[in-house]
Amino acid sequence: MANLIPSSTRTIPDIASIPRHIAVIMDGNGRWAKQRFMPRVAGHQRGVEALRVVVKSCRDLGVEYLTVFAFSSENWRRPADEVSFLMTLFLKMLEREVAKLHKNNIRLKIIGDRSRFDNKLKQTMQDAELLTANNTALTLTIAANYGGRWDVMQAIKSMLNEHPQLAQTFTEEDLQPYLSMSDAPEPDLFIRTGGEQRISNFMLWQLAYTELYFTDTLWPAFDRNELDKAIASYQQRERRFGRTSEQVQAKTEGKPSA
Ligand code: IPE
Ligand code: IPE
Ligand code: MG
């Protein structure tokens, strides 16, 4: 089976100073609104503005993949009116923004379990992906009704469905093509806004060697300057992938300077 995406646990990926792939947990919308005596949902609305700025910034910086957590498989536990507001906001955002994304040569992808979404939302998601499928400037992936455990489970089920003979013998490489992010390199940089220092069931498999960055800034207040700070922090990290610091230094010294 062809597998062009290198795994960080199998080979050592090439590192660039601008991360190729950034994954973001956009957290803190509710608190942002509460601080302003506004309803929580006003924070979600402003969160869309912040996302617009970050998408543009990533495109300008030459980031190839931006993956954002919009709704987790556990967010259904929220009050019904907030869930319903988020679904409507997602639909409106897709309807309003997709033409703009397309004009800017941005490919839109959506990952997560779509079975719980209504037909209109499912159709709009599919249309948006189809329209932007051949765009090349940036791949924006929105994780909606996504969970890292769901992803691994659905991948195993799909793989075994197609290749039952692999049940006793499958490897990382066999499984990889069935995971939601199979066509993207693993994230270089993970950003979580809103002060919480946890993964909350986001890309569990793919974050194996990702550099983690946490900020107290609430998502609606996250902007280009905040993104630059996260990238600056990333640029200070030594990515060892299990090796010693000396091995990493020897490797970079041996390379012709860019
Ligand atoms: C993140 O902001 C957006 C979603 C989870 C949909 P929150 O809604 O979690 O905001 P806080 O964490 O309550 O402030
Ligand atoms: C994670 O945020 C999910 C999204 C940002 C979509 P939550 O606010 O749901 O995470 P927890 O519950 O604080 O871990
Ligand atoms: Mg939250």
Side-chain angles (χ1 to χ4, degrees):
M1 204 176 299
N3 181 22
L4 303 170
I5 301 296
S7 153
S8 59
T9 48
R10 292 286 200 238
T11 56
I12 294 164
D14 282 336
I15 304 303
S17 102
I18 293 294
R20 286 186 71 193
H21 184 175
I22 301 181
V24 185
I25 296 187
M26 311 182 287
D27 195 21
N29 293 351
R31 279 164 285 163
W32 182 91
K34 206 170 160 197
Q35 283 174 359
R36 286 159 182 79
F37 307 102
M38 286 148 78
R40 289 179 52 82
V41 293
H44 298 318
Q45 226 146 7
R46 285 299 292 264
V48 177
E49 303 294 317
L51 179 57
R52 196 178 288 133
V53 170
V54 169
V55 168
K56 184 181 184 310
S57 305
C58 283
R59 187 186 180 280
D60 293 348
L61 284 161
V63 172
E64 294 170 59
Y65 298 87
L66 172 66
T67 304
V68 298
F69 208 3
F71 192 88
S72 77
S73 44
E74 290 71 55
N75 285 144
W76 298 102
R77 295 168 180 166
R78 293 191 177 199
D81 57 347
E82 181 168 340
V83 169
S84 141
F85 181 92
L86 284 166
M87 291 301 143
T88 309
L89 183 67
F90 190 29
L91 179 65
K92 280 194 196 151
M93 189 211 79
L94 287 176
E95 288 174 342
R96 229 184 18 225
E97 306 287 334
V98 167
K100 235 181 290 173
L101 292 176
H102 188 47
K103 206 177 90 200
N104 285 298
N105 195 21
I106 294 168
R107 176 165 69 139
L108 180 71
K109 294 197 70 173
I110 294 145
I111 55 169
D113 180 0
R114 300 184 190 200
S115 61
R116 249 180 114 167
F117 296 139
D118 69 30
N119 287 338
K120 174 124 175 63
L121 185 53
K122 279 186 202 153
Q123 188 61 50
T124 310
M125 283 160 53
Q126 201 185 326
D127 293 347
E129 290 184 313
L130 217 62
L131 175 73
T132 62
N134 296 318
N135 293 344
T136 53
L138 168 74
T139 297
L140 168 64
T141 303
I142 298 180
N145 194 19
Y146 172 90
R149 289 188 183 178
W150 164 83
D151 193 10
V152 174
M153 295 305 291
Q154 68 77 28
I156 294 173
K157 284 181 208 157
S158 309
M159 179 194 67
L160 291 181
N161 202 27
E162 282 181 36
H163 305 284
Q165 78 282 5
L166 287 177
Q168 305 299 324
T169 59
F170 71 89
T171 63
E172 256 196 45
E173 284 77 10
D174 293 322
L175 188 64
Q176 205 270 344
Y178 295 91
L179 291 161
S180 294
M181 296 297 293
S182 60
D183 62 347
E186 293 170 28
D188 300 295
L189 171 63
F190 161 97
I191 299 171
R192 181 172 187 147
T193 63
E196 249 55 81
Q197 304 199 354
R198 53 177 172 254
I199 304 292
S200 299
N201 199 15
F202 197 30
M203 306 174 77
L204 298 177
W205 179 278
Q206 295 84 354
L207 292 173
Y209 272 103
T210 303
E211 295 298 329
L212 307 180
Y213 177 86
F214 298 95
T215 172
D216 288 338
T217 302
L218 303 172
W219 176 251
F222 194 86
D223 58 11
R224 172 62 194 259
N225 184 39
E226 294 290 331
L227 179 65
D228 288 342
K229 279 200 264 180
I231 293 176
S233 166
Y234 169 79
Q235 288 168 341
Q236 300 302 312
R237 314 282 178 95
E238 182 178 62
R239 304 190 69 191
R240 293 195 283 276
F241 298 100
R243 297 164 298 171
T244 67
S245 187
E246 290 74 15
Q247 286 175 298
V248 177
Q249 303 293 334
K251 187 132 195 292
T252 38
E253 276 155 25
K255 266 193 185 165
S257 54

